[in-house]
Amino acid sequence: MIDAIFSSVKGELMEEFGSKFNLDSSQSVRVAEVSEHSLKDTLSKHLASGNVGDILQLLNGEASINSNPIVSNMVGNLVSSLMSKLGLSSTMATSLSNYVVPFVLDKIAAKKPSNGFDISSLTELISGGENGLADSMKSALGDSISNKFGKLFG
């Protein structure tokens, strides 16, 4: 899903990077690429380690973004990635991360099923299914996570 979210909002993000953070188009592209990779990696690691309940709470809006350990981990990993891969200052990397992570999570939450995410719908989203969201999530998380959850729940 993160691939699909980033694809659909990349232009908006890059505009924000320019207007709010004074990044040029080349820098904006690199920040978007690093952000996408970092968020996918962090979420994949949490899913693979069994943090399904915490992820469900986050995606269903039952946990505050501000106090959620997964969100904190996503922000921290993104800060580190932006600093190490792009040479950004800690201040700039933190500002960008604190903008990007909630932005992307809001876009994911907007795709929530009417009755909310549950283990079954999360598994369906990861392993595939009849809706576009399932295919998006599978694409974002990669086959390795899909296979792990297939074994876990199948």
Side-chain angles (χ1 to χ4, degrees):
M1 172 187 286
I2 293 174
D3 287 336
I5 295 293
F6 266 92
S7 292
S8 69
V9 300
K10 190 172 187 176
E12 182 181 350
L13 268 176
M14 289 178 51
E15 283 180 31
E16 294 295 322
F17 293 157
S19 66
K20 290 185 180 203
F21 302 100
N22 201 29
L23 299 179
D24 63 34
S25 61
S26 174
Q27 292 169 318
S28 294
V29 168
R30 292 186 322 203
V31 168
E33 289 169 353
V34 169
S35 297
E36 180 178 5
H37 182 268
S38 177
L39 295 179
K40 285 172 26 180
D41 185 55
T42 302
L43 185 57
S44 294
K45 286 178 182 176
H46 279 280
L47 288 170
S49 69
N51 283 345
V52 176
D54 291 338
I55 291 169
L56 289 173
Q57 287 180 339
L58 177 63
L59 297 179
N60 285 321
E62 298 167 0
S64 169
I65 287 178
N66 296 328
S67 64
N68 190 289
I70 293 172
V71 174
S72 296
N73 189 240
M74 292 172 89
V75 169
N77 288 347
L78 182 53
V79 168
S80 295
S81 291
L82 292 171
M83 289 173 58
S84 66
K85 294 178 180 176
L86 302 181
L88 296 179
S89 70
S90 175
T91 301
M92 176 62 87
T94 300
S95 296
L96 285 163
S97 299
N98 284 327
Y99 178 79
V100 170
V101 172
F103 179 89
V104 172
L105 290 175
D106 285 345
K107 298 296 182 181
I108 293 171
K111 304 285 187 182
K112 176 174 71 171
S114 60
N115 60 344
F117 289 105
D118 59 19
I119 291 176
S120 176
S121 63
L122 185 59
T123 302
E124 181 179 320
L125 291 173
I126 294 167
S127 65
E130 297 177 11
N131 61 29
L133 182 59
D135 294 334
S136 297
M137 181 65 96
K138 182 178 179 183
S139 172
L141 298 177
D143 290 336
S144 65
I145 298 300
S146 176
N147 290 339
K148 286 180 184 179
F149 275 96
K151 291 176 187 170
L152 181 62
F153 297 112

